[in-house]
Amino acid sequence: MKALRRKLLAWYTENRRDLPWRRTKDPYAIWISETMLQQTQVETVIPYYERFLERFPTVFALADADSDDLMQEWAGLGYYSRARNLHAAARAVAYEHGGVVPDDVAGLLTLKGVGRYTAGAIASIAFDRPAPIVDGNVMRVLARVLDLHQDVRSSAMQKRLWEEAGKLAQGERPGDLNQAIMELGATVCTPRSPECLLCPIREHCQGLANGDVEKLPVKSKAVRQKKVEAVCGYLTRRGTVLAARRPPDGLLGGLWELPGGDMEREETPEGCLERQVRERFDLGIKNAAGLGKVKHVFTHRVLTLHVFQAEVGAGRVRRADYDAHRWCTGAALAALPLSAVAAKALAMADPGNPAD
């Protein structure tokens, strides 16, 4: 274990990528980066991270942020529950902890949205606590080095991996050690065609010695993605467009969109739009015209979204299901915090006012 730590740290010192969150020990900035990096690639995160910290440079700035402003900065990054949880946790840190981010795993785990991995990352990187982390890269490296053939999604294997990561974290520079394992998995010990000849710990890799590297890690099959069809409408009345905000919880929570919803079995897209507008706003539509389809892949859903343009009849809005609504210009709608799929639909419906 000592030899592994020594070689990993030496390799990391010489080969680590220059990433913006590696230039700071500010626990708030590290917390933001680790939250954004969950299930999102480094290259995608960098510009979001830099813009986010420019807009919300301190935990107090984030705690006091308007939810729409926050979601605007997060729009397009996906997994929007991360942003909502981050906002709630920032308020707790600002007003219950005096603006001081907890410096140990136990304290960090009390914050909404902070799980075992994020707590370990913040504690080790920002505060030099010997706290382990286990993510996809760490699982792959450890499974290969130790030649472990159990399913990494099983509880027994998860327990083993956290134990092994915990052993590695004991010693000097635990934050750098944790980042070194992740870096190795991201750049050398990759899922396919790992560059074993460049690996600093190849002499210790039992999987390489036994010819098992390409077989590891063992993973059970992921849940099959569900195919879903839905509709949305660019609904106009007297020169304005109807925008709707989703409830704060659930898929795409807190984001604005063109009104609509999922289709029922054997329902036509136009019939679905009429039903959704009636049920959700107590309004009728006329002159509906199909504009095309948008396809978008979520973690467990493959969405086909039918986009329409239609006029809304007279009547007062009686809203259901949505959190808020407003009548606005196309430009104002494009400036609202929209999900990636809503931005695609708006670009199709109103090419003159595409969302950023």
Side-chain angles (χ1 to χ4, degrees):
M1 199 63 71
K2 288 182 179 180
L4 274 177
R5 290 188 97 265
R6 185 174 62 253
K7 292 179 180 180
L8 279 169
L9 286 170
W11 174 83
Y12 180 69
T13 299
E14 293 295 324
N15 296 278
R16 65 182 181 182
R17 290 171 291 177
D18 180 23
L19 302 174
W21 44 86
R22 289 180 176 166
R23 305 171 199 152
T24 181
K25 293 291 281 186
D26 177 8
Y28 169 69
I30 292 168
W31 177 18
I32 298 301
S33 72
E34 290 298 336
T35 303
M36 288 185 169
L37 286 165
Q38 294 169 16
Q39 298 178 291
T40 309
Q41 294 181 341
V42 166
E43 294 75 14
T44 301
V45 167
I46 291 174
Y48 279 92
Y49 170 82
E50 294 175 335
R51 288 196 301 266
F52 195 91
L53 283 184
E54 184 176 349
R55 184 70 180 275
F56 310 114
T58 67
V59 71
F60 290 104
L62 179 56
D64 293 337
D66 177 80
S67 59
D68 273 356
D69 290 342
L70 170 61
M71 298 309 289
Q72 181 71 65
E73 293 301 322
W74 202 277
L77 195 56
Y79 300 98
Y80 294 96
S81 61
R82 294 181 297 177
R84 297 192 297 272
N85 290 338
L86 188 61
H87 202 191
R91 288 171 176 163
V93 170
Y95 302 116
E96 297 173 21
H97 297 272
V100 178
V101 177
D103 64 0
D104 61 1
V105 169
L108 289 161
L109 286 173
T110 66
L111 302 178
K112 189 169 184 179
V114 175
R116 191 177 183 183
Y117 164 82
T118 304
I122 298 170
S124 63
I125 297 169
F127 300 108
D128 292 320
R129 302 285 190 185
I133 59 169
V134 174
D135 71 348
N137 286 318
V138 175
M139 283 193 290
R140 184 166 58 257
V141 171
L142 291 178
R144 288 171 172 173
V145 168
L146 300 172
D147 202 21
L148 303 176
H149 288 257
Q150 295 89 349
D151 179 3
V152 293
R153 292 191 171 102
S154 70
S155 58
M157 185 62 160
Q158 281 291 307
K159 183 175 183 293
R160 173 75 185 277
L161 291 169
W162 277 98
E163 288 174 350
E164 298 295 343
K167 295 175 187 176
L168 274 172
Q170 301 298 317
E172 63 174 346
R173 299 168 59 193
D176 283 349
L177 187 283
N178 282 337
Q179 292 182 91
I181 306 174
M182 291 191 291
E183 188 81 344
L184 189 71
T187 62
V188 176
C189 193
T190 50
R192 289 172 292 278
S193 302
E195 299 186 75
C196 296
L197 292 177
L198 300 179
C199 180
I201 57 173
R202 60 185 177 276
E203 295 176 0
H204 303 275
C205 184
Q206 297 176 41
L208 179 61
N210 296 330
D212 293 334
V213 168
E214 295 280 6
K215 304 172 187 175
L216 300 171
V218 175
K219 289 184 180 180
S220 56
K221 289 185 178 180
V223 178
R224 188 174 180 180
Q225 291 176 316
K226 179 182 179 182
K227 293 184 178 180
V228 177
E229 287 196 83
V231 302
C232 70
Y234 189 84
L235 307 176
T236 60
R237 177 196 276 178
R238 295 192 294 274
T240 60
V241 185
L242 180 59
R245 188 173 67 194
R246 298 174 72 95
D249 297 322
L251 185 67
L252 307 180
L255 294 172
W256 291 81
E257 65 183 15
L258 301 178
D262 290 355
M263 291 173 54
E264 295 179 351
R265 185 175 296 180
E266 299 183 1
E267 188 175 37
T268 66
E270 186 172 345
C272 177
L273 180 65
E274 292 177 353
R275 176 179 62 80
Q276 294 285 358
V277 175
R278 182 178 65 253
E279 292 178 354
R280 293 188 162 197
F281 299 97
D282 197 22
L283 297 172
I285 62 172
K286 58 184 179 180
N287 301 326
L291 301 176
K293 302 175 186 177
V294 168
K295 290 204 171 182
H296 194 81
V297 179
F298 297 94
T299 305
H300 301 301
R301 287 162 52 110
V302 178
L303 173 67
T304 299
L305 181 65
H306 301 263
V307 184
F308 285 84
Q309 186 167 9
E311 298 173 25
V312 178
R316 179 186 174 191
V317 171
R318 294 179 176 82
R319 191 180 65 244
D321 298 330
Y322 280 114
D323 184 55
H325 77 280
R326 65 177 63 169
W327 295 96
C328 55
T329 64
L333 196 160
L336 292 172
L338 304 171
S339 66
V341 65
K344 291 178 186 177
L346 178 59
M348 181 177 289
D350 188 7
N353 285 302
D356 292 335

